[in-house]
Amino acid sequence: MNKLTTGVILSSLLCSTSFSAIAESGFISEILIGQSKHTVNATPVNYQSEKKYKSNLDDKSLAFRVGYKYTDYLTFELAKHDHGSVTNKVELIYSTQLPGSPDGNPCCLGPDHDTVVTAIVPIEIDSLRLGVKGQWQLLSNLSINARLGIARWEFEKYSPKNLSQLAVQTNEDVSGNDLYYGVSAEYQFTENFYIGVEYSMLSIDEDYKDEFNNIGSYNYDVKDLSLVLGWAF
């Protein structure tokens, strides 16, 4: 988050100092500040639990976006999103075993004697997005927009795979490409400055096998609700 914040500030300064050079080029730059909701559903491959892991967690989000307004209705965009970091807690239940019958088969004590262990899995995700924005003017200074494109997402040290396969200690380059979409409304204060509210969603579905051919999967949705501060040049 700190690196992206620094990049946003430097990019904003660069845009302001270069105003005269690109005043007629149709470029836009935007800062997005908001809240992200992380929803995960993970199917475990471990033997301690048959239940799926589910959570809905929130964190702050920050993004910087640039674009080129090709027409009054179409803009090409490139954005870098930091969706924040959330901490997941997974409970594992171990049965207490006792020596079994004379043939060697074990038996277990009841649920009251189970051992419960909590695993902490922090997940941080960011995405690089390339897409288009369609814009429809409702009033002279008010418009609604729809966005669609490809997001190159990447998890940091841990990923949702760690929620279903706890033996994996760190992220093994878990990244990929998926569609994103969004809707927003913008209000034009001046010829060059506008403010807006945007909702966007990125959905990730992954299946995998571990070294013992146990199958696991997860679905990870990131939904961002952001305030948009924009400059048109």
Side-chain angles (χ1 to χ4, degrees):
M1 180 71 78
N2 292 334
K3 292 181 180 179
L4 183 56
T5 304
T6 303
V8 168
I9 296 173
L10 292 177
S11 299
S12 300
L13 293 175
L14 179 62
C15 288
S16 62
T17 56
S18 303
F19 174 78
S20 60
I22 58 175
E24 299 179 358
S25 64
F27 286 100
I28 61 98
S29 63
E30 298 174 342
I31 296 174
L32 290 77
I33 305 170
Q35 193 84 1
S36 62
K37 178 176 286 293
H38 300 241
T39 303
V40 60
N41 291 274
T43 302
V45 299
N46 62 73
Y47 304 103
Q48 288 77 34
S49 174
E50 295 181 355
K51 295 182 179 180
K52 290 185 177 181
Y53 175 81
K54 298 181 180 180
S55 70
N56 287 281
L57 301 170
D58 300 326
D59 196 21
K60 296 180 178 66
S61 65
L62 181 65
F64 178 68
R65 183 162 58 207
V66 295
Y68 180 76
K69 193 168 184 179
Y70 186 68
T71 70
D72 289 339
Y73 307 100
L74 183 65
T75 301
F76 297 100
E77 298 179 325
L78 177 66
K80 175 65 174 179
H81 287 255
D82 184 336
H83 303 286
S85 177
V86 295
T87 301
N88 295 264
K89 298 181 179 180
V90 185
E91 286 191 348
L92 299 179
I93 301 175
Y94 296 88
S95 299
T96 301
Q97 296 187 350
L98 287 176
S101 57
D103 60 5
N105 293 325
C107 64
C108 301
L109 295 176
D112 293 339
H113 299 275
D114 289 344
T115 300
V116 179
V117 178
T118 301
I120 306 299
V121 182
I123 295 179
E124 183 177 355
I125 180 175
D126 56 46
S127 64
L128 182 65
R129 302 183 176 189
L130 179 64
V132 295
K133 177 182 79 170
Q135 182 170 338
W136 295 268
Q137 206 73 25
L138 296 181
L139 301 172
S140 60
N141 54 359
L142 180 65
S143 64
I144 57 173
N145 314 296
R147 287 180 165 86
L148 180 66
I150 294 289
R152 177 66 178 179
W153 52 265
E154 183 176 5
F155 292 102
E156 297 301 324
K157 185 177 181 180
Y158 297 96
S159 78
K161 186 176 181 179
N162 297 96
L163 299 172
S164 57
Q165 193 178 10
L166 293 172
V168 178
Q169 297 300 313
T170 57
N171 180 15
E172 299 175 352
D173 190 26
V174 180
S175 60
N177 303 298
D178 281 285
L179 289 175
Y180 74 89
Y181 63 88
V183 292
S184 65
E186 294 175 1
Y187 184 84
Q188 196 87 24
F189 280 96
T190 68
E191 182 180 355
N192 301 104
F193 174 71
Y194 58 93
I195 190 170
V197 177
E198 179 179 320
Y199 172 83
S200 68
M201 179 172 177
L202 169 63
S203 185
I204 301 168
D205 290 287
E206 292 290 303
D207 299 305
Y208 57 87
K209 288 184 180 180
D210 67 8
E211 57 183 331
F212 303 105
N213 289 324
N214 297 307
I215 298 174
S217 64
Y218 62 82
N219 170 259
Y220 200 94
D221 292 339
V222 182
K223 303 171 185 176
D224 291 281
L225 182 62
S226 304
L227 174 68
V228 183
L229 302 176
W231 293 265
F233 302 99

